[in-house]
Amino acid sequence: MSVSITFCIFSFNRGGFLKNCIDSIESAVDQPEIVVFDDDSDDPQTLEYLSDIVSRHQIVRPEKKGSIKHGGLYHNMQNALVKLKDRDLLCFLQDDTQLVRPLLSGEVAAFNDLLEKSPDTAFIHPCFIRGVDQLKRPLIPEPGPDGTVFLRKNMGQSAGVHYSDLVMFKPARLLRAGWEFKQSEPGNDAQAADAFGAMLYLWAPYAMWLPEVPAYRGKSKTLGLKLAEKRKNCGFYPFQMWSEAQAMTFLAEGSSRDREPPIAENYLECVGGTPSKPWTYNPLTGYSLLKHLNNIEVALRRWLLLARK
């Protein structure tokens, strides 16, 4: 019996990024099932693109409004889990991510077999390792259940050992455990630690966050955030898609447990020019003064809002 994977993309007001994510899946997977969980986007570009793809991909609007900095992300994740509970495998992505290589024949079945043979495991992480994270708290690989995956040594980090917002999993397994998504990545990591074993990392990942993406949620940016985005030249930097031959070579090399973790900067390049490395995924990363300026302005805005009430 064939095994299928359904890609769930969580999006908000970034039509160009969403298009790149979907294009990458359509290039990497033959006749993929893609479901877009859009968080009430209202910008014309995104709405136009959603109307263009509705004939070939399902679009789901939120059933519940979110109030945290990620909007309705975790409400939408829960909706995806329940709505697609009968699927073999789900892969959660966001609009500022993409697939970087083809998924080869037999890979999806292998992911499913790995989870079937590991009943205490819930999640597989499909992404490369972020190089900037290695500067703060290097990932130390530990042996996984087979040579295609590894575990992340627990060094006290708040997330990433048991859970990530970008994951593959069997929805039925989560529902049997009574899983309900918490409103933060650390909260979900703690929940996964209580219910399951450690998350599996692929030696040969196939997806990645785009680097140096501008902030998008909220109508107005702080001065600190604007300055940080300008200094980093934040923008749209999609990755070059690998050929099938490149993917086959990478997959063959990935079976060795003695390799360094698959760090994105060592393997991936962007279309039309690559930002300086190591890449970051928050404009304020590395700018402590601008981060303080941002926090002060955010706090001041909240105070003024309360004062007007």
Side-chain angles (χ1 to χ4, degrees):
M1 185 175 65
S2 63
V3 176
S4 63
I5 185 169
T6 299
F7 294 92
C8 302
I9 306 174
F10 301 94
S11 71
F12 177 76
N13 274 358
R14 288 196 284 199
F17 287 87
L18 177 60
K19 181 179 186 304
N20 176 70
C21 183
I22 290 179
D23 286 349
S24 74
I25 298 171
E26 292 176 336
S27 298
V29 182
D30 184 37
Q31 296 183 326
E33 180 181 25
I34 299 173
V35 184
V36 177
F37 289 82
D38 183 69
D39 200 22
D40 268 347
S41 293
D42 56 11
D43 79 288
Q45 182 190 28
T46 302
L47 294 176
E48 181 179 2
Y49 180 66
L50 290 172
S51 67
D52 288 343
I53 64 171
V54 71
S55 62
R56 67 182 193 273
H57 299 307
Q58 186 179 357
I59 312 297
V60 179
R61 302 291 183 177
E63 296 180 356
K64 187 174 182 180
K65 292 286 187 181
S67 58
I68 61 170
K69 70 176 182 178
H70 296 299
L73 174 62
Y74 296 106
H75 297 310
N76 293 335
M77 285 182 170
Q78 186 67 29
N79 189 20
L81 172 62
V82 174
K83 186 178 290 290
L84 303 172
K85 61 184 178 182
D86 61 339
R87 301 307 198 270
D88 297 321
L89 288 173
L90 298 183
C91 178
F92 279 8
L93 300 172
Q94 295 177 25
D95 52 12
D96 60 347
T97 66
Q98 71 165 82
L99 269 59
V100 299
R101 66 170 180 85
L103 280 178
L104 303 178
S105 175
E107 275 197 270
V108 173
F111 299 148
N112 187 71
D113 288 346
L114 184 58
L115 289 173
E116 288 288 352
K117 295 173 182 176
S118 308
D120 293 331
T121 299
F123 300 111
I124 300 175
H125 189 52
C127 296
F128 285 78
I129 306 303
R130 298 189 289 197
V132 68
D133 293 343
Q134 294 295 89
L135 301 177
K136 297 183 295 182
R137 184 176 286 157
L139 183 151
I140 300 175
E142 294 186 328
D146 71 19
T148 67
V149 294
F150 62 92
L151 308 179
R152 181 173 187 166
K153 184 175 181 178
N154 193 339
M155 304 291 287
Q157 58 268 50
S158 61
V161 174
H162 299 90
Y163 172 86
S164 166
D165 283 341
L166 303 186
V167 283
M168 289 186 292
F169 61 92
K170 297 176 72 65
R173 181 168 297 178
L174 265 64
L175 290 170
R176 283 196 300 268
W179 182 276
E180 291 191 8
F181 280 94
K182 308 299 183 184
Q183 294 299 298
S184 70
E185 198 168 31
N188 286 309
D189 194 282
Q191 179 180 196
D194 289 338
F196 302 107
M199 180 170 63
L200 305 180
Y201 283 75
L202 298 175
W203 280 114
Y206 61 84
M208 190 55 193
W209 294 270
L210 269 59
E212 311 303 353
V213 173
Y216 66 100
R217 190 168 290 280
K219 294 183 178 180
S220 60
K221 298 179 181 181
T222 66
L223 176 61
L225 183 57
K226 290 178 181 178
L227 291 173
E229 288 186 346
K230 184 175 182 180
R231 286 190 180 185
K232 287 190 175 178
N233 196 27
C234 289
F236 179 48
Y237 300 103
F239 292 114
Q240 298 175 13
M241 176 67 74
W242 292 2
S243 67
E244 187 168 319
Q246 288 174 303
M248 290 177 66
T249 299
F250 182 60
L251 200 65
E253 293 174 347
S255 62
S256 170
R257 295 178 186 229
D258 298 327
R259 300 174 61 225
E260 290 292 316
I263 297 171
E265 286 88 338
N266 294 342
Y267 294 94
L268 305 178
E269 297 295 336
C270 297
V271 176
T274 300
S276 59
K277 302 175 181 180
W279 301 321
T280 61
Y281 304 88
N282 179 332
L284 293 167
T285 297
Y287 295 141
S288 59
L289 290 178
L290 294 180
K291 187 178 292 185
H292 287 308
L293 178 62
N294 173 77
N295 292 341
I296 290 170
E297 185 172 342
V298 169
L300 180 60
R301 288 181 183 182
R302 289 174 179 167
W303 180 82
L304 290 173
L305 185 62
L306 289 172
R308 294 192 187 107
K309 292 183 179 180

